[in-house]
């Protein structure tokens, strides 16, 4: 099959679950003998409006997303402009050699114009991969409302839908209202392609520091502010604890920095044991997973929770929230602990409990690694995706 994967979140070095998913799927599809082109926007200026990059067996077709200055003032126009630019690249590539499948995530709009204004024949099948809907983001801008309308259009006009968790699939179905007869498949994420099941041995420690690791963008949905509220209690109760934070910092409402807003007023004794790394690359990220004792993900919503899977792969227990698809990845009391959303007191109690009880913490970590190797084995996601693609291509349209 010739497959186009459309995305605006790329490359995967960024802390974006969508970008990491797109690359992993692309690598898996190529390994299975399929031809893959990732079509992504880029803010970097090229000599022309497009640039093609070869990456590990698949091609990235970069689209320069510059736009008139006046349109930049209106985020909704920005979405449509990026969509139109990507469609132009998609049409040109489709004319050269037709795609059979075009896949795109629900929270981006690169495929919107392509869905509304169909590509030249032969028509590909349009597949929507469900991620966290914009309805789960804090509604601080009108753009969120517009986004929900665009998402609904994409869902209703797609040929098939893939969900990454039961919870998120049901939520999206309620929000978008797509027909139950629309072809759909639940396909959980798995480990990065090429990863082999392994027994993660904890690094030998030269100190007695108990490290808590948070990885995520500085935004409302990821819930770092809840962790920031809990951290002073934890640091007082566990004097040897340290909080390491990594992720892109973003503006928040009238504040220039979400991170600065979240830690405003934090006692000095807690700040002294908090380390903010900012955006980290793949190598540093993996090292932080290996060095930590527990990974905390206090998200208000996650469609799946890829960070949980990454932490479990290193044999680390996860403390997260009972929200979205997280409980389908983290099993409470077995591979980690789940607390109510927005409950900083419950979060601090869970972290204190897991840091104080070494045997419990290590057992959760062992269970997490075993569960990853059993339920999220490499290749399953790609095989199930290819099977769904094939079923769509066999569908005979009504006469």
């Amino acid at each position: 099959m010739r497959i186009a994967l459309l995305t605006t979140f790329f490359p995967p070095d960024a802390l974006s679950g969508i970008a990491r998913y797109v690359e992993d799927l692309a690598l898996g599809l190529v390994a299975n003998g399929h031809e893959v082109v990732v079509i992504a926007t880029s803010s970097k200026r090229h000599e022309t409006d497009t640039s093609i990059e070869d990456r590990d067996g698949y091609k990235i077709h970069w689209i320069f997303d510059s736009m008139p200055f006046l349109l930049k003032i209106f985020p909704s126009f920005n979405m449509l402009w990026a969509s139109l630019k990507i469609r132009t690249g998609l049409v040109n590539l489709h004319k050269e050699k037709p795609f059979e499948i075009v896949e795109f995530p629900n929270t981006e709009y690169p495929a919107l114009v392509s869905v509304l204004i169909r590509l030249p024949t032969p028509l590909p099948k349009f597949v929507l991969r469900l991620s966290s809907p914009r309805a789960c983001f804090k509604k601080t801008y009108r753009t969120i409302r517009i986004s929900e309308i665009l998402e609904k259009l994409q869902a209703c006009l797609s040929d098939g839908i893939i969900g990454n968790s039961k919870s998120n699939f049901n939520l999206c179905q309620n929000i978008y209202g797509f027909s139950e007869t629309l072809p759909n498949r639940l396909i959980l994420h798995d480990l990065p392609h090429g990863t082999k099941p392994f027994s993660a041995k904890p690094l030998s420690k030269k100190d007695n520091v108990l490290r808590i690791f948070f990885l995520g963008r500085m935004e409302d949905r990821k819930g770092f502010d809840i962790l920031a509220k809990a951290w002073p209690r934890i640091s007082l109760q566990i004097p040897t604890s340290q909080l390491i934070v990594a992720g892109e910092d973003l503006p928040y409402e009238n504040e220039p920095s979400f991170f600065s807003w979240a830690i405003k007023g934090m006692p000095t004794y807690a700040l002294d044991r908090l380390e903010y790394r900012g955006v980290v690359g793949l190598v540093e990220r993996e090292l932080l997973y290996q060095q930590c004792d527990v990974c905390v993900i206090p998200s208000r919503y996650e469609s799946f929770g890829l960070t949980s899977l990454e932490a479990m792969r290193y044999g680390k227990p996860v403390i997260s929230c009972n929200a979205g698809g997280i409980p389908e990845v983290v099993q409470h009391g077995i591979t980690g602990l789940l607390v109510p959303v927005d409950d900083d007191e419950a979060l601090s109690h869970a972290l204190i409990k897991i840091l104080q009880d070494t045997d419990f913490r290590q057992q959760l970590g062992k269970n997490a690694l075993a569960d990853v190797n059993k339920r999220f084995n490499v290749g399953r996601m790609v095989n199930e995706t290819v099977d769904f693609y094939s079923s769509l291509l066999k569908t005979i349209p009504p006469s």
Side-chain angles (χ1 to χ4, degrees):
M1 283 183 279
R2 178 166 157 84
I3 302 160
L5 304 177
L6 311 187
T7 179
T8 54
F9 288 103
F10 220 70
D13 306 79
L15 293 179
S16 165
I18 292 176
R20 281 178 277 170
Y21 156 75
V22 169
E23 178 171 69
D24 191 38
L25 179 60
L27 290 172
L29 291 170
V30 168
N32 282 16
H34 302 284
E35 183 180 352
V36 178
V37 177
V38 173
I39 303 178
T41 56
S42 172
S43 59
K44 296 181 180 179
R45 181 178 294 277
H46 301 292
E47 292 181 2
T48 63
D49 274 2
T50 61
S51 178
I52 299 175
E53 175 186 345
D54 289 313
R55 185 177 180 124
D56 299 323
Y58 68 92
K59 292 185 182 297
I60 305 176
H61 192 82
W62 292 106
I63 304 294
F64 178 46
D65 64 356
S66 65
M67 62 185 301
F69 174 75
L70 289 177
L71 292 183
K72 292 182 180 180
I73 302 174
F74 306 100
S76 56
F77 287 136
N78 197 345
M79 298 175 198
L80 295 175
W81 179 265
S83 174
L84 188 60
K85 297 281 284 187
I86 283 189
R87 182 184 186 273
T88 301
L90 180 62
V91 168
N92 292 335
L93 291 170
H94 187 67
K95 286 180 178 178
E96 292 176 8
K97 186 178 179 181
F99 291 105
E100 294 165 271
I101 298 289
V102 176
E103 183 187 307
F104 48 92
N106 59 319
T107 52
E108 302 173 48
Y109 315 102
L112 179 64
V113 177
S114 299
V115 172
L116 294 176
I117 309 172
R118 289 291 183 169
L119 297 181
T121 56
L123 294 179
K125 294 292 185 181
F126 286 87
V127 178
L128 185 69
R129 175 82 64 157
L130 298 177
S131 183
S132 300
R134 288 283 173 180
C136 295
F137 290 69
K138 189 170 184 180
K139 294 179 173 60
T140 53
Y141 303 103
R142 295 179 190 174
T143 308
I144 300 299
R145 294 297 186 187
I146 297 172
S147 300
E148 292 174 14
I149 296 173
L150 299 182
E151 289 175 18
K152 185 172 183 177
L153 279 172
Q154 290 189 149
C156 294
L157 294 172
S158 297
D159 297 303
I161 294 181
I162 295 177
N164 58 1
S165 70
K166 291 180 181 178
S167 175
N168 191 63
F169 182 89
N170 292 336
L171 176 65
C172 289
Q173 188 172 34
N174 290 335
I175 293 173
Y176 303 152
F178 54 81
S179 171
E180 294 182 359
T181 61
L182 184 67
N184 62 79
R185 187 76 56 87
L186 180 65
I187 303 176
L188 301 178
H189 293 315
D190 62 13
L191 293 174
H193 189 79
T195 300
K196 297 180 180 179
F198 67 104
S199 176
K201 296 181 179 179
L203 299 178
S204 58
K205 284 191 172 186
K206 297 181 180 179
D207 55 38
N208 64 343
V209 177
L210 293 169
R211 294 177 175 84
I212 303 168
F213 181 37
F214 170 92
L215 175 68
R217 288 184 301 277
M218 296 291 112
E219 62 181 14
D220 183 77
R221 186 171 62 92
K222 296 296 181 179
F224 171 72
D225 54 307
I226 303 302
L227 176 58
K229 290 179 182 178
W231 175 235
R233 290 193 293 268
I234 299 164
S235 59
L236 270 181
Q237 190 73 24
I238 312 291
T240 57
S241 60
Q242 179 186 21
L243 175 59
I244 300 174
V245 178
E248 179 185 7
D249 196 8
L250 299 173
Y252 182 69
E253 296 184 345
N254 296 323
E255 299 285 340
S257 165
F258 186 96
F259 178 79
S260 298
W261 168 80
I263 65 171
K264 189 179 295 184
M266 183 179 289
T268 302
Y269 65 83
L271 285 172
D272 288 344
R273 300 215 302 276
L274 188 159
E275 181 181 348
Y276 178 49
R277 298 285 187 93
V279 178
V280 295
L282 179 61
V283 174
E284 185 178 359
R285 185 167 75 232
E286 292 191 348
L287 185 61
L288 289 171
Y289 276 127
Q290 291 179 22
Q291 291 177 334
C292 77
D293 293 277
V294 58
C295 186
V296 58
I297 307 168
S299 299
R300 291 179 168 92
Y301 188 83
E302 292 286 350
S303 63
F304 176 79
L306 191 56
T307 305
S308 302
L309 194 62
E310 291 180 344
M312 291 164 62
R313 177 193 169 207
Y314 287 97
K316 305 300 178 178
V318 175
I319 293 183
S320 192
C321 294
N322 196 357
I326 295 173
E328 296 175 46
V329 181
V330 181
Q331 299 180 66
H332 180 68
I334 300 175
T335 61
L337 297 176
L338 299 176
V339 301
V341 174
D342 276 325
D343 193 334
D344 58 284
E345 187 172 346
L347 183 64
S348 61
H349 288 330
L351 278 164
I352 290 170
K353 172 181 174 62
I354 206 170
L355 291 175
Q356 286 181 332
D357 193 334
T358 303
D359 291 339
F360 180 53
R361 183 174 69 248
Q362 292 179 347
Q363 186 59 54
L364 291 179
K366 291 178 181 177
N367 295 342
L369 178 58
D371 192 43
V372 161
N373 289 335
K374 180 181 179 181
R375 292 200 296 144
F376 303 98
N377 56 302
V378 175
R380 173 195 48 75
M381 179 183 74
V382 172
N383 292 336
E384 292 179 5
T385 299
V386 169
D387 182 66
F388 183 64
Y389 288 168
S390 299
S391 68
L392 290 179
L393 294 173
K394 292 176 184 177
T395 301
I396 302 175
S399 56

